[in-house]
Amino acid sequence: TLFSKKELLQSGWAKTKEHFWLLLSVLMFVLLITWATGYWWALSIVVGIFLSISIVTLSIDIADSRKPVFTDIFRKYRHWKIFVNYLISAILAGVIVLAGLLLLVVPGIYLAIRLQYYKFLIVDKENISPVMALKESWRMTEGHTWNLFLFMLLIILINFIGAMLFGIGLFVSVPVSLIAYAFLYRKLLVGLSLVAKPKV
């Protein structure tokens, strides 16, 4: 297979230990901002998108073995198109997944798995359009749906266990999950490039 679930989690754990205090400070910042803006739904949506962009940016930086600092979570904010494209992609993906969920749930789960990497593509590629991000996510996940589904269940289980540890465990399980997903994103990109490479 293209990726090993065990190796992804091991990589996520290793990077979480390496950048623990940075990740902890970012998580505390996200929780604080989310709490402060939670009373205004429109504002919370806008802020939520910016925070999601920050989290994806940090996850990719760490997976790529960069040495990020706290202010790096705002680095992508100067590209205003990222916010717009992220919002449009989220709406499109949400409508598609919702339609799938209305068709006996299973199609919705399948569509969510296939389209989930639009977030990483929008942040990483910067100039990619919303529709192209969804198409690329679909191409990246081709042939990996079952493995991705199992990995998603594993991530849910890990974070459930983290929540059961008085919620404190989430400060470890969430970063491990996010970074593992960033590693998986890179592996899927490599797999896509190998498939697209012409045969000699």
mmCIF file of all heavy atoms in Angstrom, residues 6-50:
data_model
loop_
_atom_site.group_PDB
_atom_site.id
_atom_site.type_symbol
_atom_site.label_atom_id
_atom_site.label_comp_id
_atom_site.label_asym_id
_atom_site.label_seq_id
_atom_site.Cartn_x
_atom_site.Cartn_y
_atom_site.Cartn_z
ATOM 1 N N LYS A 6 0.408 2.741 10.818
ATOM 2 C CA LYS A 6 1.310 2.724 11.970
ATOM 3 C C LYS A 6 2.428 3.750 11.802
ATOM 4 O O LYS A 6 2.738 4.513 12.729
ATOM 5 C CB LYS A 6 1.904 1.328 12.145
ATOM 6 C CG LYS A 6 2.871 1.199 13.313
ATOM 7 C CD LYS A 6 3.414 -0.221 13.417
ATOM 8 C CE LYS A 6 4.409 -0.339 14.574
ATOM 9 N NZ LYS A 6 4.951 -1.719 14.680
ATOM 10 N N GLU A 7 3.025 3.795 10.612
ATOM 11 C CA GLU A 7 4.117 4.743 10.366
ATOM 12 C C GLU A 7 3.625 6.189 10.427
ATOM 13 O O GLU A 7 4.333 7.070 10.929
ATOM 14 C CB GLU A 7 4.740 4.459 9.004
ATOM 15 C CG GLU A 7 5.585 3.188 8.971
ATOM 16 C CD GLU A 7 6.196 2.954 7.602
ATOM 17 O OE1 GLU A 7 6.017 3.819 6.711
ATOM 18 O OE2 GLU A 7 6.839 1.904 7.413
ATOM 19 N N LEU A 8 2.429 6.438 9.931
ATOM 20 C CA LEU A 8 1.867 7.792 9.981
ATOM 21 C C LEU A 8 1.702 8.258 11.428
ATOM 22 O O LEU A 8 2.058 9.387 11.771
ATOM 23 C CB LEU A 8 0.517 7.833 9.261
ATOM 24 C CG LEU A 8 0.542 7.696 7.736
ATOM 25 C CD1 LEU A 8 -0.877 7.588 7.193
ATOM 26 C CD2 LEU A 8 1.263 8.881 7.099
ATOM 27 N N LEU A 9 1.170 7.376 12.269
ATOM 28 C CA LEU A 9 0.970 7.725 13.676
ATOM 29 C C LEU A 9 2.299 7.861 14.408
ATOM 30 O O LEU A 9 2.455 8.741 15.267
ATOM 31 C CB LEU A 9 0.089 6.680 14.353
ATOM 32 C CG LEU A 9 -1.376 6.656 13.891
ATOM 33 C CD1 LEU A 9 -2.118 5.491 14.524
ATOM 34 C CD2 LEU A 9 -2.061 7.972 14.237
ATOM 35 N N GLN A 10 3.254 7.013 14.070
ATOM 36 C CA GLN A 10 4.576 7.120 14.686
ATOM 37 C C GLN A 10 5.236 8.445 14.308
ATOM 38 O O GLN A 10 5.856 9.099 15.156
ATOM 39 C CB GLN A 10 5.455 5.948 14.248
ATOM 40 C CG GLN A 10 5.092 4.626 14.892
ATOM 41 C CD GLN A 10 5.913 3.465 14.361
ATOM 42 O OE1 GLN A 10 6.428 3.509 13.231
ATOM 43 N NE2 GLN A 10 6.043 2.405 15.154
ATOM 44 N N SER A 11 5.088 8.847 13.046
ATOM 45 C CA SER A 11 5.648 10.125 12.593
ATOM 46 C C SER A 11 4.945 11.277 13.284
ATOM 47 O O SER A 11 5.584 12.253 13.711
ATOM 48 C CB SER A 11 5.496 10.254 11.067
ATOM 49 O OG SER A 11 6.223 9.248 10.399
ATOM 50 N N GLY A 12 3.611 11.176 13.406
ATOM 51 C CA GLY A 12 2.856 12.223 14.094
ATOM 52 C C GLY A 12 3.258 12.352 15.552
ATOM 53 O O GLY A 12 3.390 13.464 16.076
ATOM 54 N N TRP A 13 3.492 11.214 16.202
ATOM 55 C CA TRP A 13 3.905 11.210 17.607
ATOM 56 C C TRP A 13 5.299 11.804 17.772
ATOM 57 O O TRP A 13 5.535 12.620 18.671
ATOM 58 C CB TRP A 13 3.859 9.784 18.141
ATOM 59 C CG TRP A 13 4.503 9.576 19.477
ATOM 60 C CD1 TRP A 13 5.567 8.783 19.759
ATOM 61 C CD2 TRP A 13 4.127 10.177 20.725
ATOM 62 N NE1 TRP A 13 5.893 8.841 21.089
ATOM 63 C CE2 TRP A 13 5.020 9.693 21.717
ATOM 64 C CE3 TRP A 13 3.138 11.076 21.098
ATOM 65 C CZ2 TRP A 13 4.942 10.079 23.042
ATOM 66 C CZ3 TRP A 13 3.060 11.467 22.438
ATOM 67 C CH2 TRP A 13 3.949 10.965 23.390
ATOM 68 N N ALA A 14 6.217 11.430 16.886
ATOM 69 C CA ALA A 14 7.597 11.932 16.974
ATOM 70 C C ALA A 14 7.633 13.453 16.793
ATOM 71 O O ALA A 14 8.330 14.156 17.532
ATOM 72 C CB ALA A 14 8.468 11.254 15.920
ATOM 73 N N LYS A 15 6.877 13.950 15.828
ATOM 74 C CA LYS A 15 6.861 15.393 15.566
ATOM 75 C C LYS A 15 6.124 16.154 16.668
ATOM 76 O O LYS A 15 6.471 17.296 16.978
ATOM 77 C CB LYS A 15 6.215 15.677 14.208
ATOM 78 C CG LYS A 15 7.041 15.216 13.020
ATOM 79 C CD LYS A 15 8.342 16.008 12.910
ATOM 80 C CE LYS A 15 9.122 15.645 11.671
ATOM 81 N NZ LYS A 15 10.380 16.411 11.542
ATOM 82 N N THR A 16 5.123 15.517 17.250
ATOM 83 C CA THR A 16 4.403 16.152 18.361
ATOM 84 C C THR A 16 5.331 16.336 19.551
ATOM 85 O O THR A 16 5.335 17.395 20.206
ATOM 86 C CB THR A 16 3.174 15.312 18.767
ATOM 87 O OG1 THR A 16 2.243 15.280 17.681
ATOM 88 C CG2 THR A 16 2.485 15.905 19.996
ATOM 89 N N LYS A 17 6.136 15.327 19.846
ATOM 90 C CA LYS A 17 7.109 15.451 20.937
ATOM 91 C C LYS A 17 8.138 16.539 20.636
ATOM 92 O O LYS A 17 8.521 17.303 21.525
ATOM 93 C CB LYS A 17 7.819 14.110 21.164
ATOM 94 C CG LYS A 17 6.947 13.034 21.783
ATOM 95 C CD LYS A 17 7.773 11.825 22.216
ATOM 96 C CE LYS A 17 8.396 11.126 21.036
ATOM 97 N NZ LYS A 17 9.173 9.923 21.442
ATOM 98 N N GLU A 18 8.571 16.593 19.388
ATOM 99 C CA GLU A 18 9.591 17.567 18.998
ATOM 100 C C GLU A 18 9.089 19.003 19.099
ATOM 101 O O GLU A 18 9.837 19.910 19.471
ATOM 102 C CB GLU A 18 10.034 17.280 17.563
ATOM 103 C CG GLU A 18 11.136 18.207 17.053
ATOM 104 C CD GLU A 18 11.519 17.900 15.615
ATOM 105 O OE1 GLU A 18 11.121 16.834 15.087
ATOM 106 O OE2 GLU A 18 12.217 18.736 15.005
ATOM 107 N N HIS A 19 7.807 19.216 18.784
ATOM 108 C CA HIS A 19 7.255 20.580 18.751
ATOM 109 C C HIS A 19 6.129 20.757 19.778
ATOM 110 O O HIS A 19 5.229 21.576 19.573
ATOM 111 C CB HIS A 19 6.706 20.880 17.351
ATOM 112 C CG HIS A 19 7.718 20.796 16.255
ATOM 113 N ND1 HIS A 19 8.590 21.827 15.953
ATOM 114 C CD2 HIS A 19 7.995 19.796 15.373
ATOM 115 C CE1 HIS A 19 9.354 21.472 14.935
ATOM 116 N NE2 HIS A 19 9.028 20.241 14.574
ATOM 117 N N PHE A 20 6.203 20.007 20.874
ATOM 118 C CA PHE A 20 5.077 19.957 21.804
ATOM 119 C C PHE A 20 4.658 21.327 22.320
ATOM 120 O O PHE A 20 3.468 21.681 22.317
ATOM 121 C CB PHE A 20 5.399 19.052 22.997
ATOM 122 C CG PHE A 20 4.271 18.999 23.994
ATOM 123 C CD1 PHE A 20 3.123 18.285 23.713
ATOM 124 C CD2 PHE A 20 4.356 19.700 25.195
ATOM 125 C CE1 PHE A 20 2.071 18.247 24.623
ATOM 126 C CE2 PHE A 20 3.301 19.670 26.105
ATOM 127 C CZ PHE A 20 2.156 18.937 25.814
ATOM 128 N N TRP A 21 5.602 22.144 22.766
ATOM 129 C CA TRP A 21 5.234 23.419 23.385
ATOM 130 C C TRP A 21 4.658 24.400 22.373
ATOM 131 O O TRP A 21 3.747 25.169 22.681
ATOM 132 C CB TRP A 21 6.432 24.028 24.115
ATOM 133 C CG TRP A 21 6.842 23.185 25.284
ATOM 134 C CD1 TRP A 21 7.979 22.445 25.425
ATOM 135 C CD2 TRP A 21 6.070 22.962 26.476
ATOM 136 N NE1 TRP A 21 7.972 21.772 26.624
ATOM 137 C CE2 TRP A 21 6.826 22.068 27.286
ATOM 138 C CE3 TRP A 21 4.841 23.420 26.937
ATOM 139 C CZ2 TRP A 21 6.366 21.635 28.527
ATOM 140 C CZ3 TRP A 21 4.383 22.980 28.173
ATOM 141 C CH2 TRP A 21 5.141 22.104 28.954
ATOM 142 N N LEU A 22 5.159 24.356 21.152
ATOM 143 C CA LEU A 22 4.581 25.180 20.088
ATOM 144 C C LEU A 22 3.154 24.724 19.790
ATOM 145 O O LEU A 22 2.232 25.550 19.692
ATOM 146 C CB LEU A 22 5.435 25.083 18.819
ATOM 147 C CG LEU A 22 4.829 25.710 17.551
ATOM 148 C CD1 LEU A 22 4.627 27.204 17.728
ATOM 149 C CD2 LEU A 22 5.700 25.410 16.347
ATOM 150 N N LEU A 23 2.966 23.425 19.662
ATOM 151 C CA LEU A 23 1.637 22.880 19.366
ATOM 152 C C LEU A 23 0.654 23.175 20.494
ATOM 153 O O LEU A 23 -0.509 23.509 20.246
ATOM 154 C CB LEU A 23 1.740 21.370 19.129
ATOM 155 C CG LEU A 23 2.441 20.965 17.829
ATOM 156 C CD1 LEU A 23 2.842 19.495 17.877
ATOM 157 C CD2 LEU A 23 1.536 21.228 16.640
ATOM 158 N N LEU A 24 1.139 23.074 21.718
ATOM 159 C CA LEU A 24 0.281 23.368 22.869
ATOM 160 C C LEU A 24 -0.147 24.830 22.861
ATOM 161 O O LEU A 24 -1.326 25.142 23.087
ATOM 162 C CB LEU A 24 1.021 23.044 24.166
ATOM 163 C CG LEU A 24 0.237 23.307 25.464
ATOM 164 C CD1 LEU A 24 -1.021 22.455 25.512
ATOM 165 C CD2 LEU A 24 1.118 23.038 26.684
ATOM 166 N N SER A 25 0.781 25.726 22.593
ATOM 167 C CA SER A 25 0.454 27.156 22.567
ATOM 168 C C SER A 25 -0.532 27.475 21.451
ATOM 169 O O SER A 25 -1.445 28.285 21.628
ATOM 170 C CB SER A 25 1.729 27.991 22.404
ATOM 171 O OG SER A 25 2.356 27.738 21.154
ATOM 172 N N VAL A 26 -0.376 26.832 20.303
ATOM 173 C CA VAL A 26 -1.299 27.055 19.178
ATOM 174 C C VAL A 26 -2.687 26.522 19.516
ATOM 175 O O VAL A 26 -3.701 27.191 19.248
ATOM 176 C CB VAL A 26 -0.765 26.390 17.891
ATOM 177 C CG1 VAL A 26 -1.829 26.419 16.793
ATOM 178 C CG2 VAL A 26 0.487 27.104 17.414
ATOM 179 N N LEU A 27 -2.760 25.348 20.128
ATOM 180 C CA LEU A 27 -4.051 24.785 20.514
ATOM 181 C C LEU A 27 -4.761 25.668 21.542
ATOM 182 O O LEU A 27 -5.972 25.892 21.453
ATOM 183 C CB LEU A 27 -3.868 23.377 21.081
ATOM 184 C CG LEU A 27 -3.654 22.252 20.065
ATOM 185 C CD1 LEU A 27 -3.423 20.926 20.780
ATOM 186 C CD2 LEU A 27 -4.847 22.130 19.125
ATOM 187 N N MET A 28 -4.020 26.186 22.498
ATOM 188 C CA MET A 28 -4.598 27.087 23.503
ATOM 189 C C MET A 28 -5.096 28.364 22.835
ATOM 190 O O MET A 28 -6.170 28.883 23.174
ATOM 191 C CB MET A 28 -3.550 27.409 24.582
ATOM 192 C CG MET A 28 -3.118 26.216 25.408
ATOM 193 S SD MET A 28 -4.490 25.472 26.340
ATOM 194 C CE MET A 28 -4.839 26.770 27.519
ATOM 195 N N PHE A 29 -4.339 28.873 21.882
ATOM 196 C CA PHE A 29 -4.738 30.073 21.138
ATOM 197 C C PHE A 29 -6.027 29.810 20.357
ATOM 198 O O PHE A 29 -6.959 30.631 20.375
ATOM 199 C CB PHE A 29 -3.613 30.484 20.189
ATOM 200 C CG PHE A 29 -3.978 31.590 19.247
ATOM 201 C CD1 PHE A 29 -4.028 32.907 19.687
ATOM 202 C CD2 PHE A 29 -4.256 31.321 17.914
ATOM 203 C CE1 PHE A 29 -4.363 33.938 18.818
ATOM 204 C CE2 PHE A 29 -4.590 32.335 17.039
ATOM 205 C CZ PHE A 29 -4.646 33.652 17.485
ATOM 206 N N VAL A 30 -6.097 28.666 19.692
ATOM 207 C CA VAL A 30 -7.290 28.309 18.920
ATOM 208 C C VAL A 30 -8.511 28.184 19.821
ATOM 209 O O VAL A 30 -9.595 28.694 19.498
ATOM 210 C CB VAL A 30 -7.052 26.991 18.153
ATOM 211 C CG1 VAL A 30 -8.361 26.456 17.574
ATOM 212 C CG2 VAL A 30 -6.036 27.201 17.042
ATOM 213 N N LEU A 31 -8.343 27.536 20.960
ATOM 214 C CA LEU A 31 -9.451 27.390 21.905
ATOM 215 C C LEU A 31 -9.919 28.737 22.430
ATOM 216 O O LEU A 31 -11.130 28.989 22.542
ATOM 217 C CB LEU A 31 -9.022 26.488 23.071
ATOM 218 C CG LEU A 31 -8.856 25.001 22.759
ATOM 219 C CD1 LEU A 31 -8.276 24.269 23.959
ATOM 220 C CD2 LEU A 31 -10.192 24.383 22.358
ATOM 221 N N LEU A 32 -8.974 29.625 22.720
ATOM 222 C CA LEU A 32 -9.309 30.946 23.247
ATOM 223 C C LEU A 32 -10.077 31.771 22.219
ATOM 224 O O LEU A 32 -11.116 32.373 22.532
ATOM 225 C CB LEU A 32 -8.032 31.681 23.660
ATOM 226 C CG LEU A 32 -8.204 33.116 24.183
ATOM 227 C CD1 LEU A 32 -9.055 33.109 25.445
ATOM 228 C CD2 LEU A 32 -6.845 33.751 24.462
ATOM 229 N N ILE A 33 -9.580 31.802 20.990
ATOM 230 C CA ILE A 33 -10.231 32.572 19.932
ATOM 231 C C ILE A 33 -11.604 31.992 19.605
ATOM 232 O O ILE A 33 -12.578 32.729 19.378
ATOM 233 C CB ILE A 33 -9.348 32.601 18.660
ATOM 234 C CG1 ILE A 33 -8.034 33.321 18.945
ATOM 235 C CG2 ILE A 33 -10.084 33.297 17.521
ATOM 236 C CD1 ILE A 33 -8.179 34.762 19.373
ATOM 237 N N THR A 34 -11.689 30.667 19.574
ATOM 238 C CA THR A 34 -12.975 30.017 19.299
ATOM 239 C C THR A 34 -14.003 30.362 20.370
ATOM 240 O O THR A 34 -15.170 30.653 20.071
ATOM 241 C CB THR A 34 -12.796 28.485 19.225
ATOM 242 O OG1 THR A 34 -11.844 28.176 18.198
ATOM 243 C CG2 THR A 34 -14.112 27.801 18.913
ATOM 244 N N TRP A 35 -13.561 30.340 21.622
ATOM 245 C CA TRP A 35 -14.458 30.686 22.730
ATOM 246 C C TRP A 35 -14.879 32.154 22.663
ATOM 247 O O TRP A 35 -16.047 32.490 22.853
ATOM 248 C CB TRP A 35 -13.752 30.407 24.054
ATOM 249 C CG TRP A 35 -14.520 30.930 25.244
ATOM 250 C CD1 TRP A 35 -15.606 30.358 25.850
ATOM 251 C CD2 TRP A 35 -14.270 32.157 25.947
ATOM 252 N NE1 TRP A 35 -16.039 31.139 26.894
ATOM 253 C CE2 TRP A 35 -15.237 32.261 26.975
ATOM 254 C CE3 TRP A 35 -13.318 33.171 25.811
ATOM 255 C CZ2 TRP A 35 -15.278 33.335 27.848
ATOM 256 C CZ3 TRP A 35 -13.358 34.239 26.679
ATOM 257 C CH2 TRP A 35 -14.328 34.322 27.698
ATOM 258 N N ALA A 36 -13.937 33.044 22.343
ATOM 259 C CA ALA A 36 -14.211 34.479 22.331
ATOM 260 C C ALA A 36 -15.165 34.886 21.214
ATOM 261 O O ALA A 36 -15.896 35.882 21.342
ATOM 262 C CB ALA A 36 -12.895 35.254 22.200
ATOM 263 N N THR A 37 -15.157 34.150 20.116
ATOM 264 C CA THR A 37 -15.985 34.525 18.957
ATOM 265 C C THR A 37 -17.215 33.635 18.806
ATOM 266 O O THR A 37 -17.988 33.805 17.849
ATOM 267 C CB THR A 37 -15.154 34.443 17.658
ATOM 268 O OG1 THR A 37 -14.647 33.113 17.485
ATOM 269 C CG2 THR A 37 -13.985 35.412 17.707
ATOM 270 N N GLY A 38 -17.405 32.731 19.733
ATOM 271 C CA GLY A 38 -18.490 31.757 19.602
ATOM 272 C C GLY A 38 -19.887 32.352 19.699
ATOM 273 O O GLY A 38 -20.862 31.720 19.289
ATOM 274 N N TYR A 39 -20.009 33.578 20.218
ATOM 275 C CA TYR A 39 -21.320 34.194 20.401
ATOM 276 C C TYR A 39 -21.875 34.809 19.120
ATOM 277 O O TYR A 39 -23.054 35.116 19.036
ATOM 278 C CB TYR A 39 -21.244 35.260 21.493
ATOM 279 C CG TYR A 39 -20.866 34.703 22.844
ATOM 280 C CD1 TYR A 39 -19.565 34.823 23.335
ATOM 281 C CD2 TYR A 39 -21.806 34.033 23.626
ATOM 282 C CE1 TYR A 39 -19.215 34.303 24.580
ATOM 283 C CE2 TYR A 39 -21.470 33.513 24.868
ATOM 284 C CZ TYR A 39 -20.167 33.653 25.337
ATOM 285 O OH TYR A 39 -19.828 33.136 26.561
ATOM 286 N N TRP A 40 -21.011 35.029 18.144
ATOM 287 C CA TRP A 40 -21.432 35.626 16.873
ATOM 288 C C TRP A 40 -21.170 34.619 15.763
ATOM 289 O O TRP A 40 -20.021 34.397 15.360
ATOM 290 C CB TRP A 40 -20.652 36.911 16.613
ATOM 291 C CG TRP A 40 -20.836 37.933 17.689
ATOM 292 C CD1 TRP A 40 -21.869 38.812 17.844
ATOM 293 C CD2 TRP A 40 -19.962 38.193 18.797
ATOM 294 N NE1 TRP A 40 -21.703 39.597 18.952
ATOM 295 C CE2 TRP A 40 -20.532 39.230 19.570
ATOM 296 C CE3 TRP A 40 -18.734 37.627 19.215
ATOM 297 C CZ2 TRP A 40 -19.924 39.718 20.708
ATOM 298 C CZ3 TRP A 40 -18.136 38.114 20.351
ATOM 299 C CH2 TRP A 40 -18.728 39.146 21.091
ATOM 300 N N TRP A 41 -22.234 34.009 15.237
ATOM 301 C CA TRP A 41 -22.078 32.891 14.308
ATOM 302 C C TRP A 41 -21.332 33.280 13.034
ATOM 303 O O TRP A 41 -20.483 32.527 12.558
ATOM 304 C CB TRP A 41 -23.434 32.284 13.962
ATOM 305 C CG TRP A 41 -24.326 33.178 13.148
ATOM 306 C CD1 TRP A 41 -25.255 34.065 13.610
ATOM 307 C CD2 TRP A 41 -24.382 33.246 11.720
ATOM 308 N NE1 TRP A 41 -25.874 34.705 12.576
ATOM 309 C CE2 TRP A 41 -25.367 34.221 11.389
ATOM 310 C CE3 TRP A 41 -23.714 32.603 10.687
ATOM 311 C CZ2 TRP A 41 -25.681 34.553 10.071
ATOM 312 C CZ3 TRP A 41 -24.023 32.931 9.371
ATOM 313 C CH2 TRP A 41 -24.998 33.886 9.068
ATOM 314 N N ALA A 42 -21.646 34.471 12.487
ATOM 315 C CA ALA A 42 -20.980 34.894 11.246
ATOM 316 C C ALA A 42 -19.485 35.088 11.477
ATOM 317 O O ALA A 42 -18.645 34.644 10.682
ATOM 318 C CB ALA A 42 -21.610 36.177 10.718
ATOM 319 N N LEU A 43 -19.156 35.748 12.579
ATOM 320 C CA LEU A 43 -17.753 35.977 12.920
ATOM 321 C C LEU A 43 -17.044 34.658 13.200
ATOM 322 O O LEU A 43 -15.890 34.462 12.792
ATOM 323 C CB LEU A 43 -17.646 36.898 14.136
ATOM 324 C CG LEU A 43 -16.228 37.218 14.634
ATOM 325 C CD1 LEU A 43 -15.423 37.911 13.544
ATOM 326 C CD2 LEU A 43 -16.287 38.073 15.895
ATOM 327 N N SER A 44 -17.735 33.752 13.869
ATOM 328 C CA SER A 44 -17.118 32.464 14.218
ATOM 329 C C SER A 44 -16.797 31.651 12.962
ATOM 330 O O SER A 44 -15.807 30.918 12.933
ATOM 331 C CB SER A 44 -18.035 31.663 15.145
ATOM 332 O OG SER A 44 -19.233 31.290 14.493
ATOM 333 N N ILE A 45 -17.624 31.794 11.924
ATOM 334 C CA ILE A 45 -17.360 31.086 10.666
ATOM 335 C C ILE A 45 -16.096 31.625 10.013
ATOM 336 O O ILE A 45 -15.215 30.869 9.590
ATOM 337 C CB ILE A 45 -18.555 31.222 9.704
ATOM 338 C CG1 ILE A 45 -19.754 30.432 10.239
ATOM 339 C CG2 ILE A 45 -18.172 30.719 8.304
ATOM 340 C CD1 ILE A 45 -21.017 30.616 9.434
ATOM 341 N N VAL A 46 -15.997 32.968 9.940
ATOM 342 C CA VAL A 46 -14.822 33.607 9.335
ATOM 343 C C VAL A 46 -13.557 33.256 10.117
ATOM 344 O O VAL A 46 -12.538 32.849 9.541
ATOM 345 C CB VAL A 46 -14.998 35.133 9.271
ATOM 346 C CG1 VAL A 46 -13.713 35.808 8.788
ATOM 347 C CG2 VAL A 46 -16.155 35.501 8.356
ATOM 348 N N VAL A 47 -13.636 33.418 11.433
ATOM 349 C CA VAL A 47 -12.488 33.114 12.290
ATOM 350 C C VAL A 47 -12.136 31.630 12.201
ATOM 351 O O VAL A 47 -10.953 31.261 12.173
ATOM 352 C CB VAL A 47 -12.788 33.504 13.755
ATOM 353 C CG1 VAL A 47 -11.701 32.982 14.689
ATOM 354 C CG2 VAL A 47 -12.903 35.017 13.880
ATOM 355 N N GLY A 48 -13.159 30.775 12.126
ATOM 356 C CA GLY A 48 -12.929 29.344 12.033
ATOM 357 C C GLY A 48 -12.140 28.962 10.788
ATOM 358 O O GLY A 48 -11.269 28.090 10.841
ATOM 359 N N ILE A 49 -12.421 29.637 9.683
ATOM 360 C CA ILE A 49 -11.687 29.368 8.444
ATOM 361 C C ILE A 49 -10.232 29.788 8.590
ATOM 362 O O ILE A 49 -9.312 29.050 8.205
ATOM 363 C CB ILE A 49 -12.342 30.090 7.253
ATOM 364 C CG1 ILE A 49 -13.715 29.471 6.955
ATOM 365 C CG2 ILE A 49 -11.449 30.000 6.008
ATOM 366 C CD1 ILE A 49 -14.497 30.194 5.894
ATOM 367 N N PHE A 50 -10.010 30.976 9.156
ATOM 368 C CA PHE A 50 -8.634 31.434 9.359
ATOM 369 C C PHE A 50 -7.868 30.501 10.290
ATOM 370 O O PHE A 50 -6.704 30.180 10.047
ATOM 371 C CB PHE A 50 -8.621 32.865 9.912
ATOM 372 C CG PHE A 50 -8.751 33.924 8.870
ATOM 373 C CD1 PHE A 50 -9.884 34.706 8.776
ATOM 374 C CD2 PHE A 50 -7.726 34.144 7.952
ATOM 375 C CE1 PHE A 50 -10.018 35.678 7.803
ATOM 376 C CE2 PHE A 50 -7.836 35.126 6.975
ATOM 377 C CZ PHE A 50 -8.986 35.893 6.892
#
